[in-house]
Amino acid sequence: MSEIRKIVKVFLASPGDLTDERKAAKGVVDEFNDLLAEEFGYQVDLVGWEDTVSAYGRPQETINQELRRCELFIGLMWKRWGTPPDKEGRYTSGFEEEFSISVEKRLKEKKPEISLFFKIISDDLMLDPGEDLKKVLDFKESLIAEKQILFEEFGQIDDFQKKFRKRITTYVRSLKARDKVKHDEQKQTPSIVDDQTGGSKPKKVVQEPPLSSQGTKFLLELISKTENASEPALYSSVEAARFRLLSSFIGTQSNDDMPLGVHDSNLLYLEKKHLNYGRKELFGLAVSGLEFFASNNTPLWHWYSAVEGEKNLLLPFYSQTESTAKRRANAIKAMQLIAEQIPKHLPWYPTKPNDRYLFIDSWFKDDSDTSVRIAALSYLAEYGIESDLEVIHTELNRNDNQTAQAAVGAILRITLRDNREAAIKALYDLQPTSVDVEILEDLFNKGSALSTEFLLKGIHHQNHIVRRIVVKHLYDRCALPENIAESLMSDSDAMVRYTALTSLSDAGRYFSIDDAKKILVSTTNLSRNLLWGTDTIGEDYLKKFKRRRLSKLKDSELEEAVKAEVFILDRDAQLVLEERHFHRHHKRLQAAVDDQCKAEFSQAYQTTIKTYGHGEYAEKVKSIEDVVRKEMTRQKLNII
């Protein structure tokens, strides 16, 4: 394979509130260049404002010069619109100028391609969006109205990385496919040889020998070397590795199917420029890379390219039954990584219909290993279509605990691509006890668009995180019925109990701290605290409830509450007072942080001794001084 790579310049545009996403994008591009650039023949160069050099003149113009050289524009937006690039220009932000230039260039020159990603706006930000966010929302609405440029939404950083990786890989694959079409048109090599009668006949198929000419030549040289050598060290480690490679594909069905090992595979990769490998050897090296793909310690993509893996359907072939379970699962994972679609034409099934389900059915056969099923479900979650749902439901109905979560995830992901409410209804109907949190965030990220009646259907869902999300959405819109809130105060999840308790409290119901403790702090399934055995999660929510109650007190009442605080870990009234009057307490807060709360702990410890004496309790308190002081310091820092 040629070592020459084409450079693909990708411009990344965004306001300044997406620093983490920009870093993640750089990581994705670095990963692509390390793993896939050689296989695709393209190196991605990510360009943005971080990369522009200082130059005389308007800074934005320097950025724009880089932008005009790019062939793919990717814009990221969240809650900020950005600042004007100059005082007298027509653009209200640098992003707007970059986007406008790209659109104008696209209309004139048919490039760059334009992709936009919007980070999901939380419901609380939508309540009071502010001027910046309003501009972002208006921009998004204009895209929807014009229907010219598509965009995607993302939630957490992992979701962004996955979608950004897919966009980069898909774009480069399209470039490679376009180049291949041009190359084939120029080459115009006929595949049929005309006979003298004017008809045609297929080329004669020549059976490939067990060893290539290169492999045979190497073995003959090795034999000659070992016969004539008088020294103990007869051959090098690279020669030994190549010998093992040749032996790995000489055998029959009665022999072990053993690929080349990790160390030998890496030795041969290091020497790839100095050795002439035959076709079977190249396939053997590709199989070795596939065997150890999941551990990322053996090269795959160089050999994948060398054997024209995409053209020869290497990954789809090894995802079938002819291979080991490990290799099959890794082949599906590799297909997912490079966004390789299930092929329409299957050369090794010439008499069978060209049906994607030849693949999918083979992945989910009764004798398929669990690892293959899980890899297949992960692949379909990202690239599956509606007609795949039947086979996924069949897998779910097997009641296999190892594949259940992946099957649910695939069903929800595929359904979500078409209809959000249908996906949430599927979540309600399936009642899975375990669901990927990222999927739930994507399902409910537009909770404000869901009706109260629809949300209420999930109030008693089997999964506690679903209940948390549904209850929180209902509470935020003041639509949690009192009778339901009452029933939720005995829920197994502390956050659900807290939200229900808060809702009833807001509605005018009074709960003392003791009442709240009985509701929030469980006496079963205790998690052990360093100082006492208790439900630490419930205790945290009890503290939250107490601080919420304390925040409604008058200053004089709050100061009395501070005096009543004796327990060393119970400083809620003091923290609320310090936060309310930060200007008055900031010097003391800063001093406490500077000495890591040593003085404050010492004073509180003396109070503990006066109250409880020099007994076992005082010893326990002293033994966890470091933990307590760290927590006190963290609380002070939060206020600052």
Side-chain angles (χ1 to χ4, degrees):
M1 174 192 164
S2 172
E3 293 295 327
I4 298 174
R5 301 178 189 174
K6 296 180 181 179
I7 302 297
V8 180
K9 282 189 170 290
V10 179
F11 190 88
L12 187 64
S14 74
D17 58 341
L18 289 162
T19 304
D20 289 343
E21 282 75 11
R22 294 184 72 89
K23 290 178 181 177
K26 179 67 166 57
V28 169
V29 168
D30 289 344
E31 176 191 59
F32 178 92
N33 289 334
D34 288 343
L35 296 178
L36 301 174
E38 188 171 6
E39 183 261 314
F40 282 113
Y42 286 90
Q43 182 92 10
V44 177
D45 183 14
L46 191 66
V47 180
W49 49 261
E50 300 99 330
D51 309 293
T52 54
V53 296
S54 299
Y56 178 77
R58 194 170 72 101
Q60 184 63 46
E61 187 54 43
T62 306
I63 297 173
N64 293 345
Q65 290 174 11
E66 288 289 338
L67 169 62
R68 292 185 180 97
R69 300 188 186 100
C70 293
E71 53 191 283
L72 174 61
F73 173 93
I74 296 181
L76 311 181
M77 298 294 288
W78 186 22
K79 57 186 179 181
R80 284 187 57 188
W81 179 247
T83 55
D86 48 42
K87 294 181 179 179
E88 299 176 356
R90 63 190 179 102
Y91 298 108
T92 58
S93 73
F95 175 86
E96 183 186 25
E97 182 169 350
E98 292 156 5
F99 177 74
S100 299
I101 289 172
S102 299
V103 171
E104 290 170 7
K105 192 169 185 287
R106 173 78 181 169
L107 292 173
K108 292 178 182 177
E109 305 173 22
K110 296 186 178 181
K111 65 177 184 179
E113 286 201 20
I114 299 173
S115 290
L116 296 174
F117 293 87
F118 287 87
K119 187 170 183 177
I120 293 163
I121 305 296
S122 61
D123 290 344
D124 57 332
L125 287 175
M126 293 294 289
L127 293 174
D128 184 18
E131 291 303 315
D132 243 20
L133 180 52
K134 285 179 181 176
K135 291 177 182 178
V136 174
L137 296 173
D138 289 344
F139 173 63
K140 191 175 179 182
E141 287 300 318
S142 69
L143 295 174
I144 295 171
E146 292 168 6
K147 298 180 180 179
Q148 296 295 318
I149 298 173
L150 299 177
F151 61 83
E152 288 191 75
E153 294 183 315
F154 65 92
Q156 300 301 315
I157 198 78
D158 290 346
D159 185 33
F160 169 72
Q161 285 176 309
K162 182 172 69 176
K163 290 177 178 178
F164 187 81
R165 182 183 294 111
K166 181 179 177 181
R167 183 66 188 101
I168 293 293
T169 307
T170 303
Y171 179 71
V172 175
R173 285 174 70 89
S174 70
L175 292 180
K176 184 179 179 182
R178 199 180 309 157
D179 285 351
K180 185 178 184 303
V181 170
K182 290 180 181 178
H183 176 74
D184 290 346
E185 288 175 350
Q186 293 170 359
K187 191 175 179 182
Q188 293 182 342
T189 303
S191 58
I192 302 295
V193 180
D194 293 338
D195 63 16
Q196 293 179 352
T197 63
S200 62
K201 58 182 180 181
K203 289 182 177 179
K204 183 179 179 181
V205 177
V206 180
Q207 185 67 38
E208 192 173 354
L211 290 177
S212 64
S213 59
Q214 297 93 331
T216 302
K217 181 182 178 183
F218 164 76
L219 285 178
L220 291 173
E221 290 174 351
L222 185 66
I223 292 169
S224 175
K225 183 176 180 180
T226 56
E227 285 178 341
N228 299 327
S230 58
E231 298 294 328
L234 301 178
Y235 40 79
S236 69
S237 59
V238 174
E239 288 173 322
R242 188 169 185 182
F243 182 79
R244 288 172 180 159
L245 170 64
L246 291 167
S247 68
S248 70
F249 54 79
I250 298 176
T252 66
Q253 290 183 349
S254 60
N255 292 120
D256 290 330
D257 182 12
M258 293 292 291
L260 192 66
V262 172
H263 183 66
D264 286 337
S265 180
N266 281 297
L267 282 174
L268 295 180
Y269 177 78
L270 289 173
E271 296 296 322
K272 62 184 182 295
K273 293 181 180 179
H274 308 297
L275 297 173
N276 185 19
Y277 295 115
R279 178 176 171 80
K280 279 200 170 184
E281 290 176 276
L282 292 172
F283 268 101
L285 289 163
V287 169
S288 176
L290 190 58
E291 182 77 11
F292 303 102
F293 172 77
S295 55
N296 292 317
N297 59 3
T298 312
L300 167 64
W301 301 114
H302 174 81
W303 309 118
Y304 177 83
S305 178
V307 299
E308 297 182 286
E310 188 171 7
K311 176 183 176 182
N312 289 307
L313 303 178
L314 180 75
L315 298 178
F317 176 80
Y318 279 108
S319 78
Q320 296 286 288
T321 55
E322 289 84 351
S323 183
T324 64
K326 181 179 180 182
R327 210 172 298 159
R328 291 181 65 200
N330 285 346
I332 299 170
K333 291 174 185 176
M335 286 176 66
Q336 183 175 347
L337 178 67
I338 64 172
E340 183 164 344
Q341 300 299 309
I342 297 174
K344 297 178 181 178
H345 302 288
L346 313 175
W348 56 88
Y349 289 141
T351 62
K352 294 185 179 181
N354 295 329
D355 192 336
R356 68 187 271 118
Y357 297 103
L358 288 172
F359 279 91
I360 295 176
D361 289 345
S362 75
W363 293 346
F364 293 102
K365 278 184 178 179
D366 289 340
D367 59 352
S368 286
D369 190 80
T370 300
S371 62
V372 176
R373 296 171 184 275
I374 292 174
L377 290 166
S378 178
Y379 176 89
L380 293 176
E382 194 159 350
Y383 301 112
I385 57 178
E386 186 178 359
S387 56
D388 298 334
L389 291 173
E390 183 179 352
V391 72
I392 300 173
H393 274 286
T394 301
E395 174 61 32
L396 182 62
N397 292 335
R398 286 164 55 94
N399 295 320
D400 185 338
N401 291 333
Q402 294 177 282
T403 62
Q405 182 172 346
V408 168
I411 292 169
L412 297 180
R413 285 288 185 201
I414 293 171
T415 310
L416 178 60
R417 284 197 277 274
D418 292 327
N419 187 299
R420 184 180 303 277
E421 284 204 15
I424 297 175
K425 184 179 183 302
L427 174 70
Y428 291 168
D429 292 341
L430 293 171
Q431 289 291 318
T433 56
S434 182
V435 193
D436 189 286
V437 174
E438 185 181 312
I439 294 176
L440 294 180
E441 289 173 347
D442 290 344
L443 284 173
F444 289 99
N445 66 52
K446 293 184 178 178
S448 57
L450 301 172
S451 70
T452 297
E453 183 182 4
F454 188 67
L455 284 170
L456 282 168
K457 292 178 181 179
I459 206 78
H460 295 297
H461 196 280
Q462 203 167 232
N463 183 280
H464 71 283
I465 301 177
V466 175
R467 297 199 302 276
R468 284 183 182 183
I469 294 171
V470 169
V471 171
K472 183 68 166 61
H473 278 303
L474 291 168
Y475 173 77
D476 288 344
R477 64 175 66 173
C478 301
L480 185 60
E482 287 191 30
N483 63 321
I484 291 178
E486 187 79 43
S487 68
L488 291 175
M489 288 199 296
S490 59
D491 193 273
S492 61
D493 185 78
M495 182 176 173
V496 173
R497 298 197 300 273
Y498 171 77
T499 308
L501 177 64
T502 305
S503 177
L504 290 171
S505 181
D506 290 346
R509 291 271 298 276
Y510 177 78
F511 298 90
S512 68
I513 298 301
D514 285 340
D515 292 335
K517 185 172 183 177
K518 290 175 184 176
I519 294 165
L520 298 174
V521 183
S522 174
T523 56
T524 59
N525 301 321
L526 302 183
S527 51
R528 287 283 157 187
N529 184 279
L530 286 170
L531 194 55
W532 65 92
T534 186
D535 170 17
T536 53
I537 298 174
E539 288 283 356
D540 287 342
Y541 279 108
L542 179 61
K543 276 183 172 292
K544 194 173 181 181
F545 181 82
K546 287 168 69 176
R547 288 180 189 174
R548 194 170 184 272
R549 174 73 56 81
L550 289 164
S551 67
K552 297 178 180 180
L553 296 179
K554 297 177 181 178
D555 282 357
S556 58
E557 295 171 323
L558 192 55
E559 287 167 359
E560 288 301 315
V562 171
K563 293 175 184 177
E565 290 180 333
V566 176
F567 186 39
I568 198 164
L569 292 177
D570 187 7
R571 326 294 289 176
D572 298 309
Q574 180 179 322
L575 291 168
V576 171
L577 187 64
E578 288 171 344
E579 186 168 17
R580 180 183 294 180
H581 297 294
F582 174 74
H583 63 284
R584 187 189 307 167
H585 299 285
H586 74 276
K587 289 183 179 179
R588 187 161 59 81
L589 284 166
Q590 188 61 58
V593 169
D594 290 344
D595 83 337
Q596 297 181 338
C597 291
K598 289 180 182 178
E600 189 164 331
F601 178 86
S602 178
Q603 182 180 351
Y605 182 62
Q606 293 304 317
T607 303
T608 300
I609 292 174
K610 288 178 182 178
T611 307
Y612 298 102
H614 290 275
E616 182 182 353
Y617 179 77
E619 290 178 6
K620 283 186 177 180
V621 170
K622 189 65 176 174
S623 70
I624 60 168
E625 178 180 353
D626 288 346
V627 175
V628 173
R629 280 178 38 221
K630 283 180 182 178
E631 175 62 15
M632 292 169 72
T633 305
R634 184 187 63 80
Q635 291 170 340
K636 307 290 185 187
L637 279 170
N638 284 344
I639 294 174
I640 293 174

